[in-house]
Structure formats: C-alpha cells, structure tokens
Amino acid sequence: MVDQSSQAFNRGLLEFLQASPTPFHAAENIAAQLTQAGFQPLVEGERWSLKPGGKYWVMRNGSSVIGFIYGREPMETDGIRMVGAHTDSPCLKVKPQPDLSRQGYAQLGVEVYGGALLAPWFDRDLSMAGRVSYRDGEGRIRSGLVDFKLPVAVVPSLAIHLDREANRQRSINPQKELPPLLLSEIDGVDQPSFRERLKAQLLAEQPSLTVDEVLDFEISLYDTQPPALIGLAQDFLASARLDNLLSCYVGLQSLLKADDRHSTLLVCNDHEEVGSASACGAKGPMLQQFLERLVPETETRMRVLDASLMISADNAHGVHPNFADRHDDNHGPRLNRGPVIKVNANQRYATTSESSALFRDLAERADVPVQTFVSRTDMECGSTIGPITSAEVGVKTLDVGVPTFAMHSIRELAGRDDAAYLHQILNEFYRYPHPPGQS
C-alpha cells in the first residue's frame, strides 16, 4: 500500500508537470530522463540496429515519444509489455496572425484546442510556451522551444454589473470573449509584432542561436499557478495538465525501473484531445512503424503482438460529491482509493474481461486497491488512445486511469496517492513473468 513513499514520487511528478507546459516540453523532458538513464536516441531517418538488452527512445514531431527496452526473452513467445498515454491537454492556442489592437489594448487571437472547460480560463495569470520555427543566419529552417514562464497575459471577466445573468445562465463565445490582454498600448508608439516578441524570447532563452526571422509557431497559453498538494491533510494534487501528463510521468518512472529481461515499451502520443489523427497521434502510424522496424518479418511480428498487451493510461472521472448523480451508483471512483479500470460496452474504452482480469491480478501482486468506472447508461463517455491503438496495431488493450475531478479544466484535481498506486501496478506489469497477451 502507498504511504509516505508517495510523497517522494509526487515531488517528481509536480516538477515534471511544472516543467512541461506544452507537449513539446513534455516530450523533451521525457527524452531527457530516458537519456540520463542510458536509453539511446534513435533517428527515424537513419538505419537502426536494435539488440537484446538495449534501451532506446525515438521522438516524432517533437511531441510524441516511444521509450523501449529490448528484452532478453524472445519476443515472439514473451510479448511486449506496453503502456500508452498522451502528451497533449485542452488549452488555448495562439492563432497564426494573432495581433489584435482594440480599445487601446494589445491582445492575441486564440483558438480552443480540444474539449476545454472555458470558464476557468478567465482571471488567471497566463503565460505562453511552445515551438518556434525560424530561419537562421545561414538560411536554414530550424525550430526551438520557448517558455515565457512569467504571467504575460490575462482574460478578464466581465463584471457582474454588466452581465446580471452571469450566475444564472452563461455561454462563452470563444471568438469574442477569450482573446487575452497583453499590455496597454501607448498612443503613437508602434508595438512589436507577436513574431518579433517570439524572436526576442527565443534569443533570451538561447543566446547562442542566430535567428534571422521567425517563420511560424505553435504557442499555447497556460496557467502559471504551480502544481501543489492541497487540502487540510494535503491529500489532493492540483495542477494543470493532469490529463494526461500524470500518466506519462507514471509510465516513464515505471519504464525507468524495468529491467532488460522482458521487452517493455512506453508510448506517449500527441493529439489525443483532438482525435489522434496525425503522424504522431495514436491513429497515425508511429507505433506500428516502430514495431515493423523492430520485428520486420510479418509472421514473427504477429506472434509478438499475440503475446503482448497494452495498458492505456488516461485519467478517469472521480465521483464528484456535489454531482454524484452524474455517475452510475455502482461505479463512482473515489480519489485516493486506487486506479480505475474503465469499461464501455460500445468500445469507447478497449477493456475486455481478460485484460481487466490481468490488471486486477497485477494490483493484487502490488497490494494496491482497484476501482471500476462505467458511464451512466443514459450518458455518453469520452474515449482514449486505447481503442485506437488496439484497432491500428492489433494488440490486446485495456483502459485504466487515476480518478480525477475537473477534467479538461485549466486546473484539475487528483488524489495524492493514486499516481503512486498506478506506478506500483505498472512496475508489476513490466516484470510480469508470463506473456501478458495470452490467457
């Protein structure tokens, strides 16, 4: 059972969340920890030579990562123990031509990425981070990451005096109401364009670069309030991007603890929140192509997949004490009561009785409690990379996650102990003595 050991685990989790304001930063931080642990980087455009006992990682688009340990047991009979998560979270993204000047204020045009809860974005101290593509002094196109870190933007609410119905019925027009304020303009003084500000920021963070011109960017806004343990007993974990950087971190720490007896894999895909249909998303070919290069011969690869299993880790809906009627009476996961097996009869989750049975066995081995989530029969549920990966790759899969409140808000809430609980179960999975895909 988790006790004081969860505190050390959560410290690392909080640091990872704080350092990963965008999928690009998350992927970079995952790759850095893998490299520090002795994993070798692979370049997709080069020839690979993978060997048993080796540890590797590969990145695509700067935002999706696969970490892999090539086990010494034969993969065609032992399988691959896979864990999947995603690096992206709902947010506000800056538009390509974002500069706005209205009523004496400099603002930014933004669009909504994913299914974000919009109301919590108002009155927050916001910063900006992401990837900038530029032409260097030699005329080559390169990319670099930026993170303003300081609060540089805000979306002010309209005063209650000017919207008397705000507490009764309120809809948000994202085009009109979400452009954030950057600064007060001074009459007669030209302001730098957003691209010029990005160039200055890139050079401030990386003075050794030569930046001729910023050509384009993928910049997101984020809340500067740091992650924290909160509550009278500090038994809740509050942070942005718990969905789903929490699972990325848990899977990463378990992979770093795995030995080289069994083949083990972690895939952290981008673009889950918008359907996963991209070259680096779960609906794209990244994992399939990795497996094809790992096991080129089709017959052998089919045997490997038959012996393999994927655990798709993505947060679950905890039963909210103020809205308990939104849950099925027998399936209301509680925070700090253990990870959740997610089930849906219409395959919005990929869990089967066989894959969930394995997870329950792993939990018993780890002495960790387990819960189950099923949506109310009269309500639709979301989905994950689990069904997509299962359909694209053909690997047996189950969906699990840490129970969470305020999913898709700018600040979400999880239990203090549940991430460490999931970590213990994934540790057991990575060293599971039998082929996980074969019952």
Side-chain angles (χ1 to χ4, degrees), residues 254-268:
S254 295
L255 185 66
L256 294 176
K257 291 190 66 174
D259 60 31
D260 63 359
R261 178 184 175 186
H262 305 292
S263 291
T264 52
L265 180 146
L266 170 69
V267 55
C268 297

Side-chain angles (χ1 to χ4, degrees), residues 349-410:
Y349 304 130
T351 305
T352 67
S353 59
E354 291 183 336
S355 59
S356 64
L358 174 66
F359 193 79
R360 293 183 188 279
D361 183 57
L362 294 169
E364 287 185 13
R365 291 168 180 263
D367 193 23
V368 166
V370 170
Q371 307 180 83
T372 306
F373 173 77
V374 179
S375 291
R376 283 176 54 113
T377 309
D378 55 358
M379 293 178 65
E380 294 185 4
C381 72
S383 192
T384 70
I385 68 167
I388 296 172
T389 302
S390 183
E392 294 292 328
V393 177
V395 63
K396 300 176 188 68
T397 304
L398 80 152
D399 277 290
V400 303
V402 164
T404 309
F405 293 153
M407 193 181 294
H408 287 196
S409 175
I410 196 171

Side-chain angles (χ1 to χ4, degrees), residues 82-85 310-314 342 384-387 397-401:
M82 306 183 193
V83 172
M310 160 77 76
I311 295 179
S312 166
D314 200 348
K342 300 157 72 174
T384 70
I385 68 167
T397 304
L398 80 152
D399 277 290
V400 303

Side-chain angles (χ1 to χ4, degrees), residues 11-321:
R11 281 195 295 271
L13 172 58
L14 295 176
E15 292 171 1
F16 176 75
L17 292 165
Q18 177 74 359
S20 305
T22 74
F24 305 111
H25 291 84
E28 183 178 70
N29 291 329
I30 291 168
Q33 291 199 36
L34 290 170
T35 300
Q36 188 175 9
F39 286 67
Q40 301 175 36
L42 299 171
V43 179
E44 291 192 293
E46 298 178 356
R47 185 177 296 275
W48 293 0
S49 179
L50 309 184
K51 300 177 181 179
K55 298 181 178 182
Y56 309 96
W57 65 265
V58 64
M59 185 183 297
R60 183 175 288 190
N61 187 50
S63 60
S64 296
V65 185
I66 293 175
F68 178 68
I69 298 176
Y70 197 143
R72 299 189 182 277
E73 294 284 343
M75 276 189 290
E76 59 265 33
T77 55
D78 194 51
I80 305 174
R81 291 140 183 81
M82 306 183 193
V83 172
H86 64 87
T87 57
D88 61 321
S89 303
C91 65
L92 303 183
K93 285 197 168 185
V94 180
K95 290 183 175 180
Q97 302 293 336
D99 297 289
L100 300 174
S101 177
R102 300 190 299 194
Q103 302 298 321
Y105 302 101
Q107 294 180 269
L108 286 178
V110 295
E111 58 181 335
V112 180
Y113 177 86
L117 275 173
L118 297 181
W121 281 84
F122 288 82
D123 308 316
R124 295 275 184 165
D125 297 344
L126 303 175
S127 192
M128 298 184 291
R131 180 169 66 182
V132 178
S133 297
Y134 62 94
R135 184 189 299 112
D136 69 10
E138 299 178 351
R140 296 180 180 179
I141 297 177
R142 302 189 181 278
S143 294
L145 301 186
V146 296
D147 183 359
F148 284 74
K149 293 186 178 179
L150 296 175
V152 296
V154 64
V155 184
S157 293
L158 184 63
I160 189 68
H161 314 79
L162 303 178
D163 184 6
R164 293 293 184 181
E165 298 299 313
N167 292 333
R168 298 183 181 90
Q169 52 183 9
R170 172 82 194 279
S171 61
I172 297 171
N173 184 315
Q175 173 70 16
K176 292 177 56 180
E177 300 176 34
L178 289 183
L181 272 67
L182 294 183
L183 52 81
S184 295
E185 296 176 327
I186 301 174
D187 291 341
V189 177
D190 292 333
Q191 295 294 334
S193 70
F194 186 68
R195 280 177 167 76
E196 291 169 335
R197 294 185 190 279
L198 289 180
K199 177 180 178 179
Q201 183 65 27
L202 190 60
L203 290 172
E205 294 185 33
Q206 303 180 58
S208 62
L209 297 181
T210 57
V211 181
D212 178 46
E213 180 185 4
V214 169
L215 300 174
D216 227 320
F217 53 84
E218 295 172 74
I219 300 295
S220 302
L221 291 141
Y222 71 92
D223 186 9
T224 58
Q225 184 177 4
L229 293 176
I230 67 170
L232 286 175
Q234 292 199 316
D235 50 356
F236 302 118
L237 194 158
S239 176
R241 303 177 297 282
L242 291 179
D243 177 16
N244 188 31
L245 292 188
L246 181 150
S247 300
C248 291
Y249 182 80
V250 171
L252 172 64
Q253 298 311 307
S254 295
L255 185 66
L256 294 176
K257 291 190 66 174
D259 60 31
D260 63 359
R261 178 184 175 186
H262 305 292
S263 291
T264 52
L265 180 146
L266 170 69
V267 55
C268 297
N269 291 114
D270 196 2
H271 300 144
E272 188 273 347
E273 299 292 358
V274 291
S276 295
S278 69
C280 61
K283 210 170 191 176
M286 183 179 182
L287 179 57
Q288 178 67 25
Q289 290 174 348
F290 178 88
L291 295 172
E292 288 172 354
R293 297 181 76 166
L294 175 65
V295 188
E297 204 273 315
T298 302
E299 178 76 16
T300 304
R301 189 169 63 254
M302 294 302 99
R303 294 177 62 193
V304 171
L305 287 171
D306 182 67
S308 303
L309 186 131
M310 160 77 76
I311 295 179
S312 166
D314 200 348
N315 296 17
H317 295 292
V319 57
H320 195 305

